[in-house]
Every structure is written in C-alpha cells, then in structure tokens.
Amino acid sequence: MRKLLCSTIFLFSLIFSAARPAAAQGVLAEIRGTVRDNSGLVVPSAPVTVLDTTKGWTRKTTTNESGQYQFSELPTDNFTVSVEAPSFQKDVRQGILLQTGQQAQIDFTLTPGEVSETVTVVENASQVQTDDATLGTVIDTRKILELPLNGRVFWQLAQLVPNAYPPIHNSSLSFRGGFNVAGQPEVNNNYLLDGIDNSDAATMQPVVSPSVDGIHEFKVLTGVYDAEYGRFSGGQILITTKSGGNKIHGSAYEFYRTSALDAKNYFSPGTLPSFTRNQYGGTAGGPIAKDRAFYFGTYEGLRLTQQISSLATVPTLQDRTGNLSDLVSSSGRPIVVLNPATGKPFPGNQLPALDPVSQQLLSYYPQPTYAGTANNYLFSETRTQQGDQFSVRVDDTLWTNNTAFVSYQYQEMNAFEPSNALCGSSVLPGFGCTTPELDQAISLHDTQIFSSSLINEARVGFNRIRTNRFLQDASYGDVLSKLGIPTTGANGVGEQSGENMGVPSVTISGYSTLGGATNLPQGRRDNTYNVVDSLSWIKGNHSFKFGGDFKRF
C-alpha cells in the first residue's frame, strides 16, 4: 500500500540578550564573542576573520557597536579566528574545533601595539552551552574510532550519553539497534544524516547506518529541543559524515573473529558452534582543487557465518510407523490415543494405517538425533550474512560566499536466517528465510552568505529502502496441491504462487511446529523526500531564525 506522509513545520525563534546574540544552530555550528581592549571597553567595527584550517576558506565580519561578532552556519571542522584593529596587535586564536550544534564563545582582549605584531593563542572552545537550553552530547571521532564496538554500528555508542539506555527486552528494535532516551521508547527517536531525515518510517530505525570510519561525529539531543527538531518526542540523533581537506589521508582496516578462540556454552549440547565474522574496509580523502573542492569516500564489507543451534521435538522412528506406544505426558504417564471415529482407544496405541497426508507431512520432519520422545533433535543450521557499503562526499566552495556539499550512502545486505523472530523462529531445517536489502541516501547541502548578518542554509535529500523476506521452503513448490488441501472455494486457504509456496504451518501437540512463517513472503519499497531551509538574520544584539521542513514518505 502506498503511504503518504507530508508535514511542514515553519519555525520562528527569537532570542533576546542585551549582552550577546544567540541562535539555535541545528546540524551546523557557530562562533561568536566580544572584542574588548585591555581596559575592558568594547571595540566596535573591528575586522574579524574565521579560517577553516582544513579546507582553507575564510569568512569575514566586523564587530557591532557592542563589540560583538558572530559567524553562523559553520560546518564541524577546525578553525582559526583572528581580530585586527587599528592601534592594537593582531590577536589570533587557533585550534578551535567545532562540533555539531555547538555555539562556541571566543572572546578577545586586544593589546595596544602595532598591527604587524601578532598574539597567538591556542583556544579550546567551551562545550558548555550557556545560551541554549537544549540538552545533548557529542560523540566525537576519537570515541567512534577508539572505543571497542561489537558489530561496528554507531548507535552502540549512544549509550555513553546521559539519559540514554538500552531498549527493553523483546522490544521492536531490541535485536536490531535502538536505544531509549529520557524514558521515551526507541521508536520515538529521530535520525538526521548530514541534516536530512534518515528515519525508517516503518520501524523507526536508521535507514542507512554509515561506516563508523566515515562518521565525523554524531550528537544525541536528549531534551528541551528547538522547533527545528520538532518531529518526534524521543532523542534527536544528528550524524555528520567526514569530509576531505587539503591533505590526502586514508585508512585500511580488518576485524576478524572466529569461534576457535571462543569458550563453549556448558549447557549447549554437541560441539562448539562455528562462528566467523570478517569485517574490512578503508577510507580515502583529499583535495580535488586546493582550498576549494574536496572528496572523502569509504568502503566496508562484511562476511559472516554463524552456526545456530537449538533443541526440537520430532516424531521418533517408531512414531513414523504408527506405533505411538512411547508417547508419555510431561508427568511421565502414558498417553492413550483415541480413535476419532469411535472415541475408543487404539489397541496398544498402534494406528492401523497412516493417512497419506500425514505420511507426506512426516517427510518434512527430520529424523531424531537423540533417543527419547522430547528434545530429541539437535537443530544446527548456518546463518550467513554478506554486506557491502560505500559512501562518497564532495565539498565545494562554489563562489566566495557560497559553500556546498553532496553526500551519498549505499548499503546492500544479503542474509540467510535459519531461525529468528523475523522469519518465524522455526527450529526445524528448511524453514528459514532470506532477507535481501538495499538502502540508499543522498544529501545536498548549500550555505549562501548574503552578508555577515544574513545567511541561508538549504538542505535537500532523499533515501530509499528496498527490502524483502523470502521463505526458504518456497523451493518445495506447491505443497498444498500435493497434500490435497483446497485453495479455492468455501474451504480454500488461498492460492499459492511464486515465493508464496511451501509447506503450510502445521502444529501437532507435543512436536515442534512444521512449516515457515505465515506472514511471509513480504517486501517493501519506501522512498522518503526531505527539503529543509533556514534563514539566520542578525540585527544588532538580536538573532532571528526562520525555516521550514517538508517531508514526504
């Protein structure tokens, strides 16, 4: 069924302060401050310059009558800020690392002297937000790359954030990612990738999970959100991908795990289940044109094989001949089998003959691997997973007052699940499912500087999910016809064709359920379009921000 979700949010925020301007910065950041002389008086009309030390571009402004300056809509990167004023030494602040949504306060106290003289200070931008009530924590590149991650997915690190917790057991996302924020369920979280919606509207997990080596940082907002985050009540997860710079850099990695180094579960019968996980990839980034255009790309592959083991109950060899004399209840008492036609017991629990349909159904049960009538079969199948993903990002300074970037994510995963919750949790061989999936996302971001006090940020993006679940037992063909089960008419169960064929779900008291999941096959093709625009205007000591957010699913 085609679904349509269209929401438009018009944002208007006004923050007033007699001392300094303030404005919510969304997925970008800002630098602001006050310039004074050594007697504490403000210095108006002082030229201020910000330099992106990674990409080489600059932006200029001047202090207002209150000695204040502000650079809005800055990307997350390393910056240097300098102030030059007549009769004062040039003051330079280096090493300013901006993070997602940060409002860095960099104040200057100028020293009298010649402009040719320079005072250089290595600055550490404060992470304490004094002008914004939004609560949030940034997980930076160092944490992403250096902390151990079992599976290498970024959301595992979200639990480092105060007020973020693992999902409850058996919740909808408990086994495929997700976390709770401030008491909200994981399905209320909102994901933004490079400023564009990245939430799967069907499950509320990320559409694309970028390689952790391609993530510059991500920020988890846990409460008191500005209007521009007003789509969901849970956490707001803002993911920023890495970009290139004037220097060529790259990396290569491989993570390998094997069951040869694992300990055996004492309570698991049989030998140690086999397990192999090989995850590998690399990154590369650098300049296309010095100080203007840059690239960054990633690739990651995953190859996994895992033995899935469980105990099941199947008919014994004696049961298959119609001799049910070995049937006992859970208390150990013999079970008397009654003739449904007469209501009397079969002598010795021996059936005179087996129905042809029953004989065919018995053929889909495996033979027992252990003696006894309960837990007499060791289910042991191999789960496989093969994934490939890559990403590309290009940043460009289109002209003096305009910067833009485009990022693209591609993620393909093919898996065979012999037994899991999404495939019916069968513990008999032949009733698993295959789960091919292809996810893509593209984001286009443009920042236009009309003046030092008027800046527009535009974002356009699109993501797509294509996923299916196919029954393994569809390869058996039209089993219903073989069993003589009607598919049409008053008593028909519905016609089968293509991937909808296979063994019907049959439950026999005392035995494991036969057949695959009854809600498969299934698949979906979901497209999400997102357009966001915001305009920041600085007037004197006041900051205004206007914007709109349109999403179609």
Side-chain angles (χ1 to χ4, degrees):
M1 178 181 294
R2 183 175 178 82
K3 305 174 208 175
L4 177 65
L5 172 64
C6 176
S7 63
T8 305
I9 304 173
F10 287 96
L11 316 173
F12 175 79
S13 62
L14 169 61
I15 302 175
F16 174 81
S17 171
R20 57 178 57 86
Q25 291 304 305
V27 297
L28 295 177
E30 72 174 31
I31 298 175
R32 73 242 185 141
T34 303
V35 180
R36 294 183 170 86
D37 61 20
N38 57 358
S39 65
L41 298 176
V42 297
V43 181
S45 304
V48 185
T49 302
V50 62
L51 166 68
D52 186 321
T53 57
T54 302
K55 299 181 175 64
W57 55 260
T58 61
R59 193 186 296 179
K60 299 178 183 292
T61 190
T62 57
T63 57
N64 61 18
E65 63 276 7
S66 300
Q68 299 171 352
Y69 73 93
Q70 181 171 333
F71 293 100
S72 301
E73 311 298 345
L74 295 174
T76 55
D77 216 331
N78 289 282
F79 291 91
T80 294
V81 181
S82 60
V83 177
E84 298 181 63
S87 302
F88 292 98
Q89 297 178 0
K90 180 180 180 180
D91 199 337
V92 179
R93 303 296 174 89
Q94 298 178 342
I96 301 171
L97 176 62
L98 291 186
Q99 296 182 335
T100 301
Q102 183 181 358
Q103 300 167 351
Q105 183 75 24
I106 307 297
D107 296 325
F108 289 84
T109 301
L110 301 183
T111 303
E114 298 295 329
V115 177
S116 58
E117 298 177 296
T118 302
V119 177
T120 301
V121 178
V122 177
E123 184 75 42
N124 181 19
S126 173
Q127 299 299 304
V128 179
Q129 304 291 86
T130 59
D131 298 307
D132 187 353
T134 301
L135 303 177
T137 302
V138 172
I139 306 299
D140 58 28
T141 302
R142 182 177 180 183
K143 293 186 180 71
I144 293 171
L145 295 182
E146 295 184 4
L147 289 176
L149 290 174
N150 183 12
R152 289 175 52 79
V153 287
F154 73 90
W155 61 68
Q156 293 173 317
L157 293 173
Q159 294 178 32
L160 297 175
V161 175
N163 221 10
Y165 306 96
I168 62 174
H169 184 63
N170 288 333
S171 66
S172 61
L173 295 181
S174 61
F175 63 96
R176 49 181 172 175
F179 51 93
N180 296 347
V181 174
Q184 293 285 330
E186 67 269 32
V187 294
N188 287 356
N189 292 338
N190 184 40
Y191 296 87
L192 296 180
L193 177 60
D194 284 331
I196 293 298
D197 183 89
N198 188 42
S199 299
D200 180 356
T203 64
M204 291 311 300
Q205 64 186 115
V207 173
V208 173
S209 297
S211 168
V212 294
D213 287 76
I215 297 177
H216 175 63
E217 64 185 26
F218 69 94
K219 185 173 186 177
V220 180
L221 303 179
T222 57
V224 197
Y225 312 130
D226 291 320
E228 55 196 305
Y229 304 120
R231 197 180 295 279
F232 297 98
S233 60
Q236 311 294 315
I237 298 88
L238 317 178
I239 308 167
T240 303
T241 58
K242 287 183 178 179
S243 62
N246 279 321
K247 295 182 179 180
I248 297 176
H249 54 94
S251 64
Y253 58 87
E254 181 173 14
F255 297 89
Y256 182 76
R257 293 174 55 194
T258 175
S259 56
L261 302 177
D262 291 346
K264 183 179 180 299
N265 185 340
Y266 178 81
F267 299 99
S268 178
T271 59
L272 179 70
S274 63
F275 178 85
T276 301
R277 181 187 179 96
N278 189 17
Q279 200 164 11
Y280 52 89
T283 68
I288 300 174
K290 183 176 173 60
D291 292 341
R292 178 187 169 187
F294 314 92
Y295 70 90
F296 190 86
T298 70
Y299 167 78
E300 183 167 287
L302 171 66
R303 303 295 183 267
L304 179 145
T305 60
Q306 180 181 12
Q307 187 178 358
I308 305 297
S309 300
S310 184
L311 290 175
T313 299
V314 300
T316 64
L317 297 179
Q318 180 177 299
D319 293 340
R320 295 167 184 264
T321 66
N323 184 353
L324 306 180
S325 59
D326 58 354
L327 293 183
V328 293
S329 66
S330 58
S331 62
R333 301 180 62 180
I335 295 176
V336 178
V337 181
L338 302 179
N339 187 330
T342 64
K344 296 181 179 181
F346 285 109
N349 272 4
Q350 173 68 55
L351 304 182
L354 291 180
D355 183 86
V357 173
S358 299
Q359 290 179 334
Q360 291 191 59
L361 288 174
L362 278 172
S363 67
Y364 296 108
Y365 275 105
Q367 295 191 359
T369 56
Y370 299 113
T373 59
N375 293 331
N376 56 2
Y377 175 74
L378 176 61
F379 173 80
S380 181
E381 296 288 308
T382 300
R383 172 178 179 257
T384 61
Q385 191 173 7
Q386 178 175 319
D388 294 282
Q389 67 180 96
F390 70 87
S391 68
V392 178
R393 172 168 167 159
V394 175
D395 293 69
D396 193 7
T397 302
L398 300 179
W399 50 84
T400 304
N401 292 323
N402 187 280
T403 59
F405 74 81
V406 59
S407 63
Y408 174 72
Q409 302 278 340
Y410 177 96
Q411 181 174 299
E412 184 175 12
M413 186 69 70
N414 291 281
F416 168 66
E417 302 287 353
S419 177
N420 79 352
L422 297 177
C423 293
S425 301
S426 174
V427 289
L428 299 177
F431 301 108
C433 75
T434 56
T435 59
E437 182 171 339
L438 175 60
D439 305 320
Q440 299 177 81
I442 188 168
S443 173
L444 177 62
H445 189 288
D446 181 88
T447 302
Q448 173 64 47
I449 305 170
F450 297 107
S451 69
S452 60
S453 61
L454 189 63
I455 301 175
N456 189 79
E457 177 199 0
R459 307 193 297 264
V460 179
F462 164 79
N463 65 60
R464 169 180 290 170
I465 301 174
R466 188 180 71 184
T467 181
N468 296 281
R469 296 192 186 104
F470 298 124
L471 290 164
Q472 181 187 9
D473 66 321
S475 60
Y476 293 142
D478 189 1
V479 177
L480 291 181
S481 297
K482 297 176 184 178
L483 297 176
I485 298 176
T487 58
T488 59
N491 297 320
V493 296
E495 295 185 0
Q496 289 185 322
S497 62
E499 298 293 340
N500 196 31
M501 293 186 177
V503 180
S505 180
V506 177
T507 301
I508 303 174
S509 179
Y511 298 111
S512 298
T513 300
L514 189 67
T518 57
N519 63 332
L520 300 183
Q522 59 179 242
R524 59 189 175 101
R525 309 286 187 273
D526 292 344
N527 298 323
T528 301
Y529 306 85
N530 193 203
V531 179
V532 183
D533 191 85
S534 64
L535 181 68
S536 298
W537 178 36
I538 303 171
K539 182 64 175 176
N541 293 340
H542 314 302
S543 291
F544 302 84
K545 190 169 187 179
F546 310 84
D549 185 328
F550 173 84
K551 175 181 176 180
R552 181 181 180 185
F553 169 71

